Amino acid sequence: MKFYVEPLSKCTQRLGSLSEIESKPTVNIKTPAVMLHTQGGQIPHITHEVFKLVSRKSQILQIPLAGMHTFKEAMQYYEGTISSFIGSKDSLSCLTLQDPCNITKQGHHSTLKVPIWTKNGKVYYDAKSYMDVVESFKPDIYFLLSDGDTNISSSEKRIAKSVSNTMNFYKECLDRHRKSDALKHSFVIAPIVGGYKQISRERYISFILEDMKNVDGFLIDGLHNNGPEAEFLEFNEIEPIVRCILNKIPTEKLRVVQGCWNPVNIINLVELGIDLFDTSYCHILTERSAAMTFAIEITDQTNTYEINLRDSKYVDDFQPVLIGCECLSCTKYSRAYIHHLLSVHELLGPILVMIHNVYHYLRFFEKIRSCIQNNTLQTLQLSITEQFRNHQKTK
Amino acid sequence: MTTKSPLVFSILTECGTSKARVSRMILPHGPVDLPVFMPVGTQGTLKGMLPEQLEELGLQIMLANTYHLGTKPGTEILQKAGGLHKFMNWNGCLLTDSGGFQMVSLLKLAEITEDGVRFQSLNDQKAEVMLTPEHSIEIQNAIGADIIMQLDDVVKTTNPDKERIEESVYRTTRWLDRCLKAHQNPDTQNIFPIVQGTLYEDLREKSAKDHIERDVRGFAIGGLSGGESKDDFWKMVHLSTNILPKNKPRYLMGVGFAEDLVVCCALGVDMFDCVFPTRTARFGCALTRKGQLNLKKEQFKKDFRPIDENCPCNTCKNYTRAYLSGIVTVLPVACHLLTEHNIVFQMNLMKDIRQSITKGKFPDFVRDFMLQVYPTKNYPSWIIDSLSAVNIKLK
């Protein structure tokens, strides 16, 4: 798999592509792009077949190990890749550690090990046991093991520990990767840790720059502890540390962030030069019965940023969730019906909300790419920011 | 105003040996190939399946429950939506029950009077709810199903009080007349009467003969599949289909286990409904001709076969038992995947039944089917007896 991107400046919006994938030579994923967040190998509420009603384009599935622990043993015996095991052999798989939708519990640290939070509690992985899993999963893309348990309030001691642990993981995982036949076509992403302390980040980056062979991209890790609260992170708090990192890493490699970033922060991060995100934001919205209705084009007929379909005012509202949206939920179903499904706790309710949210989010990213192409990203940024601020005022 | 009858029924082939027949019923929302199994979509949705998916599977008719829909969203919303078909975006046929059975199981039965059935709600207010024949038809008119059921005076088959049962038989006929009188849409919705009488031959005969005198286009056989012995069960079905006219469809309510479906088709039944396939999917069970697979069990964790190698459904095409085992009862999507398989299982069974009757090979089909279920030929006596009564001998 190769990543091509332009322009090669340090902190600027850019257009790229992931292509020349050995097992899927016709696939071409344009960046900035979004990985499809999954739990247990499934997009929440949407089977892989139903997803084809949302989009027929090739996708990258973000597969957190946290939700896959139950399959660890089965995968040792299974002869195919993780993509085919979870029922989506035509998708690219990206193995990551924690689930961005769930708050990663802090603490529980152990030297040279990372606690992965599964549904049955914590399971510790060290470099070896992690790479054993990676080899059995055979993902198209994967993140090296990292200790990214830091946020804006982390102590110096915690940051130092996360850096020293991750330095060890980096060396051992890469060593193992280089010896592995199963992973020879896998795209490797190196997490960068160091909390919000510039010196720590720089120290970590210098360390990994000494040995960059086989590393295809970077994850800016350690900015938050996952979960729905990531939606409310203030960009002015994270911008300095993100800039610092982007100034130091090679520009031609892929840059990834994970988490439930709100659309305003997404554009801000795209402006700095981030290439890859995930759809965890869609899931947390669906979990609270909310549908995204912010305008992407000027012509979109909407005056709300998001609507909560549990609200009783929708009981007899036979309009679609978003007028003009061409997703399945908006072309075939009404707010009243979705409201009914949610109020009687039927499975189809979250399905229809999620179909809309993922469709809307994918359309948002398409718009981002076309704005970069036409040099109009700032206009989009102003529009989204204004809608977001208005929404916050009414809450 | 339509001049065509809202139910056109024609027998295509009769099994020369048993009472089985293949026929076709044309309802306002389309044709239905009989014998048919109707899955139950209680609250206007079928356990997470999209109507689009159901249409693709070839599903022609499903059930919805009047009590649930009458409570939420209620008749007013359904009327505003233009009926349940439009509300839930289902273009196939619908059948609704009267609401009586649900209420008996979900509420506290206060009293049955000639007027109707009085219930006490289970909420704190202990409000009293009255369901009359007129009210049941009113809700069913608002829902707009192609076939609607009369409100009947249901008595448990385990109730030995013949006087009470006799009362219920006569009352059911009186209520049928009240339903027919209250019916607002005789040109677009078909009322089916329900034959009662529990296990008393003379009372069943009386009930059936009284109903036959009314101007109705089909009949339901009720009050069975609820605790009586299988020996009694089949005899009442056999008796009922002997009396009911051949030129109108016969609907046996609440029957859905595979072997019951096969036997009752041999006894001349055309339509069935049951929550079993969709309910058992929720608990992680998949149906096969050889019996149920409880996918939560340890034995499936490394079983990389599909649920059924011969099943054409999406679940069997894309997922292994090992993977499903890890997600059933954990991810909502698992319910969706198993529901799809179980519905396809039921539909394929009915299709095989129809095809074997058409080819004149129904008795062979029955023998092969029973051998798959009972490979050691230890057939239950009720199955031997019931099939023997219609000239099918199990070796």
Side-chain angles (χ1 to χ4, degrees):
Chain A
M1 190 183 312
K2 297 247 174 4
F3 178 61
Y4 296 107
V5 71
E6 299 193 314
L8 288 178
S9 318
K10 289 202 183 287
C11 287
T12 182
Q13 54 190 265
R14 53 207 223 147
L15 290 174
S17 70
L18 284 164
S19 59
E20 294 174 42
I21 299 147
E22 286 82 3
S23 56
K24 299 175 170 72
T26 56
V27 170
N28 188 313
I29 308 240
K30 301 240 177 288
T31 66
V34 76
M35 300 190 275
L36 296 176
H37 160 256
T38 65
Q39 292 178 327
Q42 297 291 319
I43 302 161
H45 306 296
I46 303 182
T47 65
H48 299 302
E49 286 66 56
V50 168
F51 182 76
K52 290 176 189 157
L53 300 172
V54 177
S55 168
R56 294 204 150 262
K57 293 202 185 132
S58 298
Q59 305 288 339
I60 304 173
L61 297 176
Q62 177 197 48
I63 303 174
L65 179 58
M68 300 299 285
H69 180 75
T70 189
F71 298 117
K72 198 171 85 142
E73 217 197 314
M75 286 306 290
Q76 282 167 5
Y77 295 91
Y78 184 69
E79 283 177 6
T81 64
I82 191 65
S83 288
S84 78
F85 184 67
I86 62 175
S88 193
K89 59 178 170 23
D90 295 332
S91 298
L92 298 172
S93 51
C94 174
L95 183 67
T96 140
L97 292 162
Q98 312 290 2
D99 185 333
C101 284
N102 298 333
I103 296 185
T104 307
K105 284 201 195 124
Q106 296 176 62
H108 303 266
H109 300 115
S110 187
T111 306
L112 299 185
K113 288 190 211 178
V114 176
I116 303 285
W117 295 94
T118 73
K119 73 180 198 301
N120 294 323
K122 65 177 185 277
V123 175
Y124 284 103
Y125 279 89
D126 59 14
K128 177 186 184 306
S129 55
Y130 179 66
M131 289 307 290
D132 285 342
V133 167
V134 178
E135 279 203 300
S136 73
F137 278 35
K138 301 188 263 298
D140 297 291
I141 306 169
Y142 74 97
F143 294 13
L144 303 177
L145 187 67
S146 67
D147 176 355
D149 181 10
T150 53
N151 55 48
I152 199 161
S153 357
S154 293
S155 68
E156 297 227 355
K157 188 171 158 203
R158 173 80 289 263
I159 295 173
K161 237 351 174 140
S162 94
V163 167
S164 64
N165 277 340
T166 311
M167 283 178 176
N168 165 280
F169 299 148
Y170 182 83
K171 275 233 168 316
E172 290 207 22
C173 289
L174 265 186
D175 199 49
R176 180 77 180 271
H177 175 89
R178 288 160 181 161
K179 293 179 183 144
S180 168
D181 194 56
L183 298 175
K184 64 177 189 264
H185 295 306
S186 296
F187 201 81
V188 174
I189 306 215
I192 295 171
V193 296
Y196 284 73
K197 200 158 177 251
Q198 286 203 17
I199 294 181
S200 304
R201 292 278 182 178
E202 284 165 9
R203 202 175 128 238
Y204 183 80
I205 293 170
S206 303
F207 171 80
I208 65 175
L209 283 180
E210 286 171 16
D211 180 14
M212 279 268 98
K213 188 161 146 274
N214 303 111
V215 172
D216 303 299
F218 303 102
L219 165 73
I220 302 183
D221 203 359
L223 292 174
H224 59 76
N225 284 101
N226 297 308
E229 283 148 26
E231 187 187 354
F232 306 112
L233 289 169
E234 291 288 344
F235 190 67
N236 55 19
E237 290 181 344
I238 59 170
E239 187 181 358
I241 199 74
V242 174
R243 263 190 200 279
C244 152
I245 294 163
L246 294 176
N247 275 325
K248 293 261 179 291
I249 55 177
T251 51
E252 74 280 4
K253 295 190 193 279
L254 183 73
R255 293 114 161 233
V256 189
V257 294
Q258 299 191 113
C260 312
W261 304 97
N262 65 54
V264 174
N265 282 344
I266 296 279
I267 300 188
N268 291 336
L269 288 164
V270 163
E271 273 206 313
L272 287 184
I274 302 295
D275 308 301
L276 194 61
F277 303 82
D278 64 60
T279 55
S280 51
Y281 181 67
C282 300
H283 181 47
I284 58 160
L285 246 67
T286 303
E287 286 294 279
R288 57 170 198 258
S289 305
M292 283 183 224
T293 52
F294 60 85
I296 293 171
E297 301 286 350
I298 306 281
T299 49
D300 284 347
Q301 300 169 60
T302 172
N303 54 10
T304 52
Y305 180 80
E306 74 180 50
I307 60 173
N308 191 312
L309 286 160
R310 269 190 175 273
D311 194 321
S312 56
K313 70 182 177 203
Y314 297 115
V315 77
D316 57 358
D317 184 343
F318 294 101
Q319 290 184 107
V321 164
L322 176 60
I323 297 174
C325 176
E326 294 188 347
C327 82
L328 182 71
S329 307
C330 291
T331 50
K332 294 284 179 63
Y333 301 90
S334 63
R335 293 171 174 186
Y337 181 59
I338 298 175
H339 171 81
H340 162 67
L341 294 171
L342 292 170
S343 70
V344 293
H345 310 291
E346 276 289 342
L347 287 170
L348 191 60
I351 292 174
L352 291 177
V353 177
M354 189 68 169
I355 284 176
H356 169 76
N357 283 342
V358 174
Y359 184 92
H360 194 81
Y361 210 55
L362 290 176
R363 187 159 78 96
F364 174 53
F365 272 83
E366 251 180 61
K367 180 70 176 170
I368 288 177
R369 290 191 292 272
S370 95
C371 283
I372 297 175
Q373 184 85 32
N374 302 330
N375 207 10
T376 52
L377 191 65
Q378 217 178 27
T379 315
L380 182 67
Q381 186 182 42
L382 287 169
S383 160
I384 304 287
T385 308
E386 193 190 325
Q387 294 181 72
F388 188 62
R389 298 261 179 271
N390 286 339
H391 170 66
Q392 290 197 303
K393 277 188 219 150
T394 60
K395 275 208 304 195
Chain B
M1 283 289 277
T2 171
T3 52
K4 196 181 98 170
S5 166
L7 190 156
V8 177
F9 176 78
S10 46
I11 300 175
L12 301 174
T13 314
E14 289 182 277
C15 166
T17 310
S18 66
K19 295 199 285 179
R21 71 263 191 89
V22 170
S23 46
R24 199 161 150 92
M25 174 171 71
I26 302 180
L27 296 169
H29 284 86
V32 184
D33 298 309
L34 307 177
V36 70
F37 173 78
M38 303 180 285
V40 182
T42 306
Q43 305 192 93
T45 165
L46 202 77
K47 287 290 164 282
M49 300 288 299
L50 283 163
E52 285 81 359
Q53 293 178 288
L54 297 172
E55 264 172 53
E56 233 196 87
L57 293 180
L59 188 72
Q60 296 170 316
I61 182 169
M62 58 186 262
L63 235 86
N65 288 124
T66 297
Y67 168 65
H68 292 82
L69 292 168
T71 314
K72 272 187 173 185
T75 47
E76 206 191 310
I77 302 293
L78 285 165
Q79 275 159 349
K80 279 190 189 169
L84 183 61
H85 283 93
K86 292 212 171 75
F87 192 51
M88 64 183 283
N89 184 40
W90 167 244
N91 300 315
C93 300
L94 280 172
L95 185 151
T96 45
D97 67 326
S98 65
F101 183 80
Q102 302 291 313
M103 293 173 94
V104 165
S105 23
L106 297 172
L107 298 179
K108 186 159 172 280
L109 179 59
E111 205 187 344
I112 300 179
T113 63
E114 186 59 27
D115 216 21
V117 194
R118 206 149 45 83
F119 296 92
Q120 197 173 54
S121 176
L122 293 170
N123 59 29
D124 293 327
Q125 290 82 41
K126 299 233 182 295
E128 290 220 327
V129 177
M130 178 70 148
L131 185 66
T132 61
E134 290 77 14
H135 191 208
S136 169
I137 295 299
E138 189 191 339
I139 306 174
Q140 293 189 76
N141 283 156
I143 294 172
D146 302 78
I147 298 176
I148 66 180
M149 305 307 296
Q150 71 155 118
L151 181 66
D152 53 340
D153 183 3
V154 189
V155 178
K156 287 201 169 92
T157 45
T158 44
N159 184 334
D161 179 358
K162 192 166 184 187
E163 258 187 56
R164 170 70 188 103
I165 294 162
E166 189 168 9
E167 182 192 37
S168 79
V169 162
Y170 283 102
R171 181 175 290 145
T172 293
T173 304
R174 287 194 294 277
W175 282 2
L176 170 63
D177 288 337
R178 281 167 62 182
C179 286
L180 288 166
K181 188 154 175 246
H183 187 25
Q184 295 293 304
N185 305 324
D187 293 331
T188 52
Q189 294 182 277
N190 301 282
I191 292 186
F192 273 25
I194 305 179
V195 174
Q196 294 296 350
T198 66
L199 305 176
Y200 292 100
E201 287 190 20
D202 52 343
L203 293 178
R204 276 230 171 238
E205 206 177 309
K206 176 81 179 113
S207 183
K209 286 187 170 157
D210 283 349
H211 290 339
I212 289 168
E213 286 172 19
R214 271 73 182 166
D215 181 19
V216 290
R217 300 184 199 95
F219 300 90
I221 303 165
L224 295 174
S225 83
E228 71 282 350
S229 82
K230 277 298 207 285
D231 293 304
D232 293 326
F233 161 76
W234 79 260
K235 285 178 186 146
M236 289 299 110
V237 176
H238 185 40
L239 170 78
S240 305
T241 55
N242 276 342
I243 302 172
L244 290 170
K246 278 172 114 179
N247 65 342
K248 293 183 180 175
R250 295 99 152 235
Y251 165 30
L252 180 58
M253 305 180 81
V255 169
F257 284 58
E259 52 199 58
D260 298 350
L261 293 172
V262 172
V263 168
C264 292
C265 282
L267 296 177
V269 175
D270 306 298
M271 297 162 65
F272 304 88
D273 84 278
C274 193
V275 292
F276 170 66
T278 41
R279 178 174 290 168
T280 207
R282 257 195 291 150
F283 300 126
C285 292
L287 301 177
T288 72
R289 293 276 168 102
K290 301 193 179 123
Q292 271 195 80
L293 298 181
N294 181 345
L295 289 166
K296 286 197 315 233
K297 290 202 171 140
E298 259 320 294
Q299 68 190 98
F300 296 114
K301 301 285 176 207
K302 290 183 209 139
D303 188 343
F304 298 117
R305 297 173 290 172
I307 293 168
D308 183 344
E309 258 135 11
N310 297 320
C311 180
C313 84
N314 270 322
T315 306
C316 290
K317 269 201 305 205
N318 296 312
Y319 303 92
T320 60
R321 296 171 180 196
Y323 177 65
L324 292 167
S325 176
I327 62 172
V328 290
T329 73
V330 174
L331 296 181
V333 152
C335 179
H336 188 153
L337 294 174
L338 286 194
T339 299
E340 183 171 350
H341 168 80
N342 286 354
I343 289 180
V344 171
F345 173 80
Q346 299 283 103
M347 288 174 70
N348 276 345
L349 176 63
M350 302 313 289
K351 192 167 93 171
D352 286 349
I353 290 173
R354 292 192 300 267
Q355 279 181 355
S356 69
I357 298 170
T358 303
K359 291 188 185 147
K361 296 218 185 305
F362 182 62
D364 288 330
F365 170 82
V366 175
R367 279 187 279 268
D368 290 341
F369 172 82
M370 289 301 171
L371 195 55
Q372 271 200 303
V373 180
Y374 301 99
T376 57
K377 295 195 182 178
N378 56 336
Y379 307 118
S381 57
W382 79 270
I383 293 185
I384 298 177
D385 294 342
S386 56
L387 291 172
S388 180
V390 288
N391 308 309
I392 297 182
K393 298 270 182 282
L394 291 180
K395 297 195 191 80

